[in-house]
């Protein structure tokens, strides 16, 4: 069964450094998402991406964050200057197309640890 | 801001018992998904409910969407140790929100003891 893949599984970065998290969504999917989950807290929406542009973003997704689909398969999340509070699990998700009934499928996440 | 409250947060039961997990909101959702999450992994989709009052069954798991599409429940019959895990509900907003971001509940951590 097709799945969303994320790399790396664990990223350790010094505070203030840039980090890029990578995702390969399911191949025929059109909507892409990033979520994060701080340890012990709820999964929180960051951003959705469709047709090569951001369609929605949350208050968390400030100017330090950016997303890109550099080619036909990858979807990346960049954090420009990481902060301690950016430490979390970051999940990428994708879904086929329009219609709320089409569920999102999640990758296994990247654990980001900021030192 | 749409919120989803899940209850209970933790549940520890013996094998063979039945249980129900609740997901409640004051907001209306166009659909609601239930996921299961294992440690170190991403949420894995169990079911999507779309129509108010809808009931879906997945083996020993029964999912119901409230008539007003504001709440949902997951009922497990004759729980087994393999059911142990974190169960998450997540709602999609009403049509018109282009991104269809999911709002997650806080999760129910279930432990089934043999």
């Amino acid at each position: 069964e097709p799945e969303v893949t994320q790399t790396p599984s664990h990223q350790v970065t010094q505070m203030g450094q840039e980090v890029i998290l990578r995702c390969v969504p399911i191949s025929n999917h059109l909507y892409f998402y990033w979520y994060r989950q701080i340890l012990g807290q709820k999964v929180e929406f960051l951003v959705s991406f469709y047709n090569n542009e951001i369609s929605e973003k949350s208050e968390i997704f400030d100017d330090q964050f950016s997303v890109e689909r550099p080619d036909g398969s990858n979807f990346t999340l960049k954090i420009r200057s990481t902060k301690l509070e950016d430490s979390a699990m970051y999940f990428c998700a994708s879904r086929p197309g329009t219609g709320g009934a089409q569920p999102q499928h999640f990758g296994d996440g990247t654990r980001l640890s900021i030192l | 801001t749409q919120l989803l409250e899940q209850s209970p947060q933790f549940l520890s039961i013996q094998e063979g018992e039945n249980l129900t997990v609740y997901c409640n909101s004051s907001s209306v959702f166009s659909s609601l998904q239930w996921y299961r999450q294992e440690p170190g992994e991403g949420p894995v989709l169990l079911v999507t409910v779309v129509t108010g009052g809808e009931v879906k069954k997945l083996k020993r798991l029964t999912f119901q969407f409230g008539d007003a599409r504001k709440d949902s429940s997951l009922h497990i019959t004759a729980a087994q140790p393999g059911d142990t895990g974190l169960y998450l509900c997540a709602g999609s907003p009403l049509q018109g929100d282009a991104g269809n971001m999911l709002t997650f509940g806080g999760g129910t951590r279930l432990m089934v003891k043999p």
Side-chain angles (χ1 to χ4, degrees):
Chain A
E1 186 176 331
E3 56 184 25
V4 176
T5 57
Q6 290 186 243
T7 55
S9 57
H10 191 189
Q11 174 78 46
V12 182
T13 302
Q14 291 288 331
M15 185 173 60
Q17 296 294 307
E18 175 183 285
V19 66
I20 297 176
L21 309 182
R22 302 180 192 281
C23 170
V24 178
I26 296 173
S27 64
N28 62 344
H29 286 191
L30 302 178
Y31 278 88
F32 314 117
Y33 305 82
W34 284 101
Y35 293 81
R36 79 171 185 191
Q37 186 176 30
I38 295 172
L39 187 63
Q41 297 185 24
K42 291 183 180 183
V43 177
E44 300 173 289
F45 168 77
L46 293 178
V47 66
S48 60
F49 192 86
Y50 172 71
N51 200 25
N52 280 323
E53 61 183 21
I54 291 173
S55 49
E56 269 186 305
K57 60 183 181 179
S58 71
E59 291 177 355
I60 304 168
F61 194 87
D62 61 22
D63 292 344
Q64 294 299 312
F65 290 86
S66 62
V67 289
E68 193 178 27
R69 187 154 165 84
D71 52 44
S73 60
N74 290 284
F75 179 51
T76 62
L77 174 69
K78 182 192 292 185
I79 308 175
R80 190 174 309 133
S81 177
T82 50
K83 302 188 275 282
L84 293 176
E85 53 265 38
D86 293 328
S87 295
M89 283 290 290
Y90 287 80
F91 293 107
C92 174
S94 69
R95 69 179 177 91
T98 56
Q102 294 183 323
Q104 296 177 27
H105 297 266
F106 286 77
D108 281 340
T110 293
R111 180 172 299 281
L112 178 62
S113 300
I114 307 300
L115 303 179
Chain B
T1 304
Q2 297 184 308
L3 293 174
L4 271 172
E5 297 296 330
Q6 258 185 267
S7 61
Q9 284 185 283
F10 301 97
L11 193 53
S12 180
I13 61 172
Q14 291 296 132
E15 182 177 1
E17 291 183 2
N18 301 333
L19 67 114
T20 303
V21 176
Y22 299 94
C23 184
N24 294 295
S25 176
S26 58
S27 303
V28 179
F29 292 95
S30 66
S31 68
L32 199 135
Q33 284 83 45
W34 284 91
Y35 291 87
R36 179 173 162 177
Q37 187 178 20
E38 302 295 340
E41 298 180 8
V44 175
L45 180 72
L46 296 174
V47 78
T48 299
V49 285
V50 180
T51 307
E54 182 176 7
V55 177
K56 280 192 175 178
K57 292 195 174 186
L58 189 65
K59 296 183 182 177
R60 292 175 294 99
L61 278 60
T62 302
F63 304 86
Q64 185 161 8
F65 203 12
D67 290 341
R69 291 185 293 151
K70 293 183 180 180
D71 54 86
S72 181
S73 64
L74 157 61
H75 183 79
I76 302 179
T77 304
Q80 298 176 1
D83 296 327
T84 294
L86 179 67
Y87 291 83
L88 299 168
C89 64
S92 292
L94 291 176
Q95 296 295 331
D97 291 308
N100 279 106
M101 52 168 278
L102 288 178
T103 297
F104 277 84
T108 295
R109 190 164 297 283
L110 172 65
M111 176 176 289
V112 182
K113 294 181 247 185

